[in-house]
Amino acid sequence: MGLAVPAASELAGENPHKLTKSPYDQVCEYIGRLKSEGLKADSSTFSIQISQKDLHDLKALLESVSESKLTRVSYNARSSTLTFKAIASFPHDAAAQFFNTSFVELVSGLPIHLRKRISQYTNARNNGFVGKYHGSFKVPDLELILTDDNGNWVSMLALEVGDSETYEELVDDARFWLEGHPQASTIFLVKMEERPQYQNPVRDAKGLGPRQAAAIQCADLTAETRYMPIVPRDLVWVGEITAFMEIWKRDPRTGSVYQFGDRIVSHQ
């Protein structure tokens, strides 16, 4: 569940004719709460429609938030939507790291003249959007960029991992890339679900104290199946994790976006 923009009636109070806060003011207020309170696991996403003028006026503030690593910021110019996403969870980071390592190994096995043409980035902001998406920017979990002998972009592969995001939001991410970025050719979508969701037992008044947690050994951990959940001393720490992956591409003739091949499921 994301941090929702307050309803107009809430912002206006009892007087329905009182002006609501502008999108600019709402973003400033949100960033202020973000810096002072952080984002909780159940309040991981905040989206709002905002003009490119307001976006320009917020540039310094948005850059400070991005540099603080508190959240990821993206902007879809076609829908004028500014989105904040919380710091990734451990399962999210583990999946992204797995793909990052796998691609490093894959690229390392290529002939040297091909390796020189491939660049790999994680959590790097990309603003190479055109057409109706001009002015957009986005931060994928991973991107591989292929260049020609002159250093010009030829193709780009991006990875989007979602745990707090819905599947529909991940598909929107794929469309965002493939419709708006001329070099984006292949998008990997990985959807993860954890049941029950991660609960840090150190933060739970009924759970472990910091000293108890520090004393936990591997022998104290049990898992019902290879897919978890992990249970230290009878407390569910990490839930059962399931995942599936889809590959999305753009038809070179029609420009339409489509799912390539079947969905790959971790286990059922």
Side-chain angles (χ1 to χ4, degrees), residues 63 100 122 130 189 191 213:
E63 287 179 351
N100 185 36
T122 57
V130 299
L189 301 181
K191 177 68 179 111

Side-chain angles (χ1 to χ4, degrees), residues 81-92:
T81 303
L82 180 67
T83 301
F84 297 81
K85 292 183 181 178
I87 297 173
S89 65
F90 174 76
H92 176 287

Side-chain angles (χ1 to χ4, degrees), residues 130-152:
V130 299
K132 295 180 180 179
Y133 291 88
H134 177 70
S136 299
F137 56 84
K138 201 169 189 333
V139 180
D141 290 290
L142 172 70
E143 61 182 335
L144 266 69
I145 297 173
L146 175 65
T147 61
D148 59 21
D149 293 333
N150 297 317
N152 300 311

Side-chain angles (χ1 to χ4, degrees), residues 1 11 17 29 51 64 75 78 99 106 131 141 149 170 247 251:
M1 181 175 64
L11 292 169
H17 301 292
E29 183 180 279
S51 68
S64 71
Y75 182 69
R78 183 174 185 178
F99 277 88
L106 177 64
D141 290 290
D149 293 333
L170 276 178
I247 301 173
D251 188 297

Side-chain angles (χ1 to χ4, degrees), residues 47-109:
S47 295
I48 188 170
Q49 285 192 308
I50 192 168
S51 68
Q52 292 207 31
K53 178 185 180 303
D54 282 344
L55 186 72
H56 180 270
D57 293 340
L58 288 164
K59 181 179 179 180
L61 190 57
L62 294 175
E63 287 179 351
S64 71
V65 172
S66 297
E67 291 173 358
S68 70
K69 307 299 182 182
L70 287 171
T71 184
R72 288 191 196 178
V73 185
S74 65
Y75 182 69
N76 185 327
R78 183 174 185 178
S79 61
S80 301
T81 303
L82 180 67
T83 301
F84 297 81
K85 292 183 181 178
I87 297 173
S89 65
F90 174 76
H92 176 287
D93 279 350
Q97 183 59 41
F98 169 80
F99 277 88
N100 185 36
T101 303
S102 298
F103 282 123
V104 166
E105 293 176 354
L106 177 64
V107 172
S108 66

